[in-house]
């Protein structure tokens, strides 16, 4: 975590909180592992809104972010009714893709970490190169993070 | 059940089988109640295919079936790895809607029964009246069921 | 709605808000109909917490609420990123079951209404009759609602 | 793929087929990325059954396989009503964990590849070392794969 925290200082991360739903548990009595991915999605939805344009509006303006890669490491289980925090950062920005990183905490304990990589495409699935104004928004956030 | 069986004899029903996924259980150790609705959807998808036109093709031809009502009665729990049968029938056909009925069995035991009512709409959500050739297909199935 | 409002005045309802997740949409561009049931579950989870004992604690003390019936009427679609309100009331309290009613709103527009009926059982699935202190909590809420 | 195919020849893989559910799509008109993980789970469930003991029985005998890591690379989208094949192999077997690899195909086209790593634990979450007879079953499959 230390290294990551240096690269993505907290002031450049964005945090949301959520309460675990009963529907998200499985018969092991813990959250089913696939259900963290929608939480990551909630994290990046709020990250985009906070940058200035909601992801709903990205799509309305013709820029989609289909997921091309996802990774998740489960360290400790989350349980029903837990109050969790999802911390989202930009990990990498390329001409045609952006990678978000996520940490899921219960109080100060790290439960899960992961990332998702998303292509920039138009509604027909064609790759877009540096789609503005979205690309610039992400880039400014990256730069402000690195210059600290 | 008796009455229903009279109105919808088995030869007019359509059966599919499925195996319960781990992801469909919750911490009670049984299938979470919302997860029966996608099984109903699987039932009517195969029901439509068997009538002659897949529901995918309905949508490609501009006829959608958004759900306007759903009901489910849970009699006995389904569990992980159970092999289940979903039996689907048409319960009611109106000018602008169709209602499907469902029974979920494990071996000969009825676990769940329910129905879903769907409007006929175009892709913009506007109601369609007796959209052909779909309406005719459903109607012929209803008539063949009643004439027995 | 009018009648319901008389029977369950707003001060006896409990409201939560939630934001629609991308994962909850389907290819019709609206929320998939099964995904309202977990929202109902969130509503009754917070309803129970607000009565004084979280549902997590109900289960820890050996009282479970498996769903035995669910119903949902979809009037208008919910969409990605919508900010919704779920209003939860007790509709009926019996010796061995409780029925919760739900309304889902976007701003002042009613999108969906439904109910879920739950049995009182022990962890082995055996029915429990008026399990205390939970039953009393629910009953006091019902009485305070009716006496207005 | 070539290297992987050498290490895990097809005769040591196990294939299942499935039909994409409407509930598994999102408003992009493709399968939501989290929904591949339950398909992977279906793949390893059938892989275990075919080795001789169903995973349900693993749990009944006190051996659980919580997921500790998951990875997925999405190459081409899957769509509603697609008929898919999930091919499952053991990628790595350690004293306290097993890693399964997965490929998802539509006809001969590779859509997605991924892996999930699972710890061996008891019902309380304590790590188990080489739990028999399960570990031996997995090991024999690995050896038969390598000796070819």
């Amino acid at each position: 975590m230390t290294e990551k925290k240096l690269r993505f200082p907290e002031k450049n991360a964005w945090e949301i909180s959520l309460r675990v739903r009963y529907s998200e548990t499985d018969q092991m009595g813990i959250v089913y592992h696939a259900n963290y991915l929608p939480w990551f999605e909630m994290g990046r939805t709020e990250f985009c809104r906070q940058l200035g344009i909601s992801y709903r509006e990205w799509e309305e303006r013709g820029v989609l972010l289909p997921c091309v890669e996802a990774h998740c490491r489960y360290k400790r289980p989350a349980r029903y009714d837990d109050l969790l925090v999802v911390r989202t950062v930009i990990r990498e920005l390329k001409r045609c893709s952006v990678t978000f990183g996520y940490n899921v905490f219960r109080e100060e304990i790290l439960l899960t970490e992961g990332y998702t990589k998303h292509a920039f495409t138009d509604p027909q699935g064609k790759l877009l190169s540096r789609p503005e104004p979205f690309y610039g928004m992400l880039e400014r956030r990256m730069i402000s993070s690195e210059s600290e």
Side-chain angles (χ1 to χ4, degrees), chain A:
Chain A
M1 279 299 292
T2 322
E3 204 181 49
K4 246 175 264 166
K5 275 194 177 158
L6 288 176
R7 286 183 56 209
F8 311 110
E10 272 172 10
K11 57 174 289 212
N12 283 290
W14 191 254
E15 294 190 351
I16 59 159
S17 64
L18 62 89
R19 177 115 25 206
V20 176
R21 303 175 179 184
Y22 205 91
S23 59
E24 293 170 331
T25 64
D26 66 23
Q27 72 177 41
M28 248 180 243
I30 60 177
V31 170
Y32 185 74
H33 60 281
N35 294 330
Y36 291 78
L37 292 180
W39 299 348
F40 293 174
E41 171 223 306
M42 292 165 75
R44 71 182 173 273
T45 286
E46 297 309 320
F47 190 93
C48 291
R49 191 186 325 277
Q50 171 260 144
L51 286 187
I53 306 180
S54 73
Y55 177 63
R56 180 195 271 203
E57 201 175 330
W58 287 49
E59 290 209 346
E60 286 165 359
R61 296 205 208 166
V63 178
L64 277 64
L65 289 182
C67 184
V68 295
E69 190 181 342
H71 184 262
C72 200
R73 200 177 296 269
Y74 308 90
K75 297 169 173 295
R76 285 173 193 79
R79 294 178 192 281
Y80 167 60
D81 212 42
D82 279 354
L83 196 55
L84 305 179
V85 167
V86 180
R87 183 179 295 162
T88 305
V89 295
I90 306 177
R91 271 216 194 164
E92 192 179 54
L93 181 63
K94 292 190 169 176
R95 201 169 48 83
C96 292
S97 71
V98 57
T99 302
F100 293 96
Y102 314 91
N103 287 322
V104 180
F105 297 92
R106 183 180 49 226
E107 285 156 13
E108 293 306 303
I109 301 163
L110 178 66
L111 304 185
T112 312
E113 54 183 9
Y115 64 83
T116 58
K117 183 176 177 180
H118 301 263
F120 302 126
T121 77
D122 70 10
Q124 285 70 47
K126 203 175 142 278
L127 275 182
L128 297 175
S129 179
R130 296 195 182 91
E132 294 296 352
F134 312 103
Y135 186 86
M137 270 177 13
L138 297 167
E139 198 176 30
R140 283 189 295 279
R141 166 57 58 108
M142 285 293 278
I143 290 167
S144 78
S145 159
E146 280 158 11
S147 65
E148 272 153 39

